[in-house]
Amino acid sequence: MLAGLRDFIHRHRRKFITGAILGGGLVLFKYIHYKLREFQERQAKEIAERFKRMQHFESTERTCNQTILGLAPSVGEKILKELSTGDILEKLRSKPDNKLELWEELKILAFARIVALVYASSMLSITLKTQINILGGYLYKEQQDDRQLVTIDIQTTYLSMIQYFLTDGLDKLMDIIRKNVTVVMQRYNLKQELTLADTETLFWSIQISLANEEMDPIKSIAKFTLPSEMDRGETLGKMYDETLDVLESAEVAEVCQANVIDGFNLVVDKLAEYYAEVGSPQTVPSTSKSALNVEPLANINSIKMSLAKMIPIVNGLTSKILGKSGGSSDTNGLNGFEHRNSDMMASLVSRFMQSNKLKTFGVNVYETFCQ
């Protein structure tokens, strides 16, 4: 019987081999098809998850930008109120005996205002970008896990921490800025002629002076924007500590430094418009139009302006009031230029929100806390 079976297998061995190959191939094909379908489903799920997360992040970003723009006016108004120059300007217009003393005070306040706006707008943007993306990450993760630890009350309390910056934090920032601006501006007298490059150096000197402070605004954002004490439950305390860690990171210092430099570039660009006006070509009248003589436009880098003439311009950059000068004959030097109607705080915040560094930072924070 065994011999017959062996003969049967031997006679039909090719059929058995072919069948085994075909059967094995079919199993392999089904296995590959199963794995391919499993991979496709996993890929589709990951793409859908990524798209959902992207939509949630975009919504978070819109909320963040709206919040920054909504709070920026309050920050700007507090700075202009605390570093007000209105009283000094009124006194100067009355030609007082202590005119020089008032000019020296105006010099400090005008530059302290513009410096405070640059630093405050950067700190506001970075802090809210941190807070709202951390919160957004938490909320997204809770949606995925189908649970809720971050209640509405916790969200409200967490976001209200920025109120510290709008009160005590800004006061501390303005005190430090005014002190350092005073030190730097003492090196400049009112009659000193400055080129645009000299003005850049002046702002750079103020930045260096602030960087040497123990509470350097760039490296110590959290000390200005977060309260040191607050009622903390487990979840809120964890979020506070994580926010503190992010704000004290090297990445935040790098983003803030880039913002501040970009902010002063914006200020110098605004001042360059006035330098260009000083060096604008003068047309000399003649009896023949063909005989008009036009002086060539001076190289803006060679144009000089006295500090006394620049002070009201710097002061005007932070003013929301549109006013026209009454002529260049004003002995106080308060006129001679048209003060443009520009909200410097809004301009700075808008510029920072378009910064790739700040955008990338927001993405990184969100991705970290939604995992």
Side-chain angles (χ1 to χ4, degrees):
M1 181 176 177
L2 290 175
L5 181 60
R6 283 198 300 270
D7 290 341
F8 177 80
I9 292 174
H10 179 73
R11 288 195 306 271
H12 298 281
R13 65 183 180 279
R14 290 184 178 179
K15 293 180 181 179
F16 280 114
I17 294 172
T18 302
I21 292 174
L22 290 176
L26 181 60
V27 171
L28 181 62
F29 174 77
K30 287 183 177 180
Y31 178 76
I32 292 174
H33 180 70
Y34 168 76
K35 284 296 183 181
L36 181 61
R37 186 173 61 188
E38 187 181 65
F39 173 76
Q40 289 173 334
E41 289 175 352
R42 187 168 63 250
Q43 285 289 96
K45 185 178 180 180
E46 288 176 0
I47 291 172
E49 180 65 27
R50 196 178 304 122
F51 181 71
K52 185 178 179 181
R53 191 162 68 239
M54 183 180 68
Q55 284 185 314
H56 189 264
F57 171 73
E58 290 175 350
S59 175
T60 301
E61 272 293 277
R62 285 193 297 271
T63 300
C64 182
N65 291 340
Q66 289 168 0
T67 305
I68 294 171
L69 289 172
L71 288 178
S74 298
V75 174
E77 287 168 10
K78 181 175 175 63
I79 290 172
L80 299 190
K81 180 181 178 181
E82 297 299 323
L83 299 174
S84 175
T85 58
D87 291 342
I88 298 176
L89 292 174
E90 285 299 321
K91 291 177 183 177
L92 283 171
R93 291 189 182 100
S94 66
K95 298 183 174 67
D97 294 334
N98 62 337
K99 184 171 67 173
L100 183 59
E101 180 184 333
L102 290 172
W103 266 103
E104 289 294 334
E105 190 175 351
L106 180 62
K107 178 179 72 175
I108 302 301
L109 287 174
F111 279 88
R113 276 157 61 119
I114 199 77
V115 172
L117 286 176
V118 171
Y119 278 88
S121 55
S122 175
M123 296 164 78
L124 176 71
S125 301
I126 290 174
T127 302
L128 285 175
K129 186 75 73 171
T130 300
Q131 281 189 271
I132 294 177
N133 278 295
I134 286 178
L135 179 59
Y138 264 87
L139 295 179
Y140 179 80
K141 191 174 181 180
E142 287 189 350
Q143 285 181 6
Q144 302 308 109
D145 298 341
D146 193 24
R147 59 174 182 168
Q148 184 180 21
L149 294 176
V150 185
T151 63
I152 297 297
D153 287 342
I154 290 177
Q155 294 176 41
T156 302
T157 304
Y158 175 69
L159 292 177
S160 67
M161 290 194 300
I162 195 64
Q163 291 296 324
Y164 176 80
F165 179 57
L166 300 179
T167 52
D168 296 350
L170 266 180
D171 288 337
K172 289 194 294 186
L173 177 65
M174 286 187 286
D175 286 344
I176 288 176
I177 287 175
R178 184 167 182 170
K179 181 184 75 172
N180 284 272
V181 167
T182 300
V183 171
V184 173
M185 295 306 296
Q186 285 175 346
R187 308 171 196 164
Y188 296 83
N189 63 68
L190 295 170
K191 294 181 179 180
Q192 191 165 343
E193 298 281 326
L194 300 175
T195 64
L196 192 60
D198 293 332
T199 306
E200 286 185 279
T201 301
L202 189 160
F203 285 124
W204 182 245
S205 298
I206 294 172
Q207 292 177 65
I208 293 175
S209 182
L210 285 166
N212 290 325
E213 281 283 342
E214 182 180 351
M215 282 183 62
D216 171 12
I218 286 178
K219 296 180 180 178
S220 306
I221 291 181
K223 293 180 180 179
F224 295 94
T225 61
L226 295 184
S228 57
E229 296 181 1
M230 59 177 294
D231 294 332
R232 298 167 60 174
E234 181 180 351
T235 301
L236 184 59
K238 184 170 181 287
M239 295 175 71
Y240 176 91
D241 291 339
E242 289 167 338
T243 305
L244 186 63
D245 288 341
V246 173
L247 291 178
E248 290 180 340
S249 67
E251 184 180 3
V252 162
E254 183 181 339
V255 174
C256 190
Q257 180 71 60
N259 279 352
V260 168
I261 291 173
D262 197 25
F264 282 114
N265 286 340
L266 175 62
V267 172
V268 172
D269 287 345
K270 295 285 187 183
L271 291 175
E273 297 175 14
Y274 291 96
Y275 272 91
E277 289 177 8
V278 172
S280 62
Q282 302 296 319
T283 302
V284 180
S286 81
T287 55
S288 171
K289 289 185 179 181
S290 61
L292 284 175
N293 297 313
V294 180
E295 296 179 4
L297 178 64
N299 184 339
I300 194 169
N301 294 318
S302 66
I303 300 169
K304 291 186 177 182
M305 187 187 304
S306 69
L307 180 58
K309 206 167 191 176
M310 186 187 300
I311 289 171
I313 296 173
V314 172
N315 187 61
L317 289 178
T318 59
S319 176
K320 298 178 183 179
I321 300 174
L322 178 64
K324 292 189 177 180
S325 67
S328 58
S329 61
D330 184 84
T331 56
N332 289 329
L334 297 176
N335 297 317
F337 292 93
E338 180 181 341
H339 290 251
R340 290 157 176 78
N341 183 19
S342 62
D343 185 340
M344 180 57 71
M345 186 71 185
S347 298
L348 287 165
V349 167
S350 297
R351 186 150 172 156
F352 296 157
M353 287 194 300
Q354 294 170 13
S355 163
N356 287 330
K357 277 186 176 292
L358 189 59
K359 288 180 180 178
T360 302
F361 168 71
V363 172
N364 291 341
V365 171
Y366 180 83
E367 287 292 332
T368 299
F369 287 92
C370 72
Q371 299 297 329

